[in-house]
Amino acid sequence: MAKPFIQRKLHQIGKHANLHLINANDSGELFTEINKLINSDERTLSQNDKLLRFILENCKDSYAQLKQDLVILFLTRLKEGGFFIEFGATD
């Protein structure tokens, strides 16, 4: 009983924040949404969607645990000849 209520509330909050929430446990829905994003016209995407698409398209080339190297590449428009230094150690 509580689960549908919580799901409705999460979708309402997501809609208010201009977010489209999907069920990550539903691989079909997840695959469909990723496919739509990758095949979308670049001009119609928000900046967040462009970042997500960039990460999805380049994740095989990432060396970072959370793909933070791809975020930096995206934000610097693939700048070359510079340095990205990350440090930290936690599990």
Side-chain angles (χ1 to χ4, degrees):
M1 177 99 176
K3 189 174 181 179
F5 172 77
I6 293 170
Q7 287 175 334
R8 278 195 314 275
K9 288 300 175 188
L10 285 173
H11 280 279
Q12 288 172 350
I13 293 167
K15 190 174 184 179
H16 181 71
N18 200 25
L19 298 171
H20 175 72
L21 303 177
I22 60 171
N23 182 355
N25 292 324
D26 182 348
S27 59
E29 183 179 4
L30 185 59
F31 180 75
T32 299
E33 292 300 320
I34 289 171
N35 239 359
K36 280 197 295 191
L37 179 63
I38 289 174
N39 294 312
S40 294
D41 184 347
E42 181 80 15
R43 296 169 295 182
T44 64
L45 295 175
S46 70
Q47 196 68 5
N48 288 338
D49 285 343
K50 288 177 184 177
L51 170 60
L52 181 55
R53 183 161 119 177
F54 181 81
I55 291 170
L56 288 170
E57 290 173 343
N58 296 286
C59 65
K60 66 185 179 319
D61 299 322
S62 174
Y63 294 98
Q65 182 181 11
L66 301 174
K67 310 301 181 217
Q68 58 270 37
D69 53 348
L70 295 179
V71 173
I72 298 301
L73 284 171
F74 177 81
L75 292 174
T76 61
R77 295 181 175 89
L78 300 173
K79 180 181 177 181
E80 294 182 14
F83 294 93
F84 169 59
I85 301 171
E86 176 194 10
F87 61 92
T90 62
D91 286 344

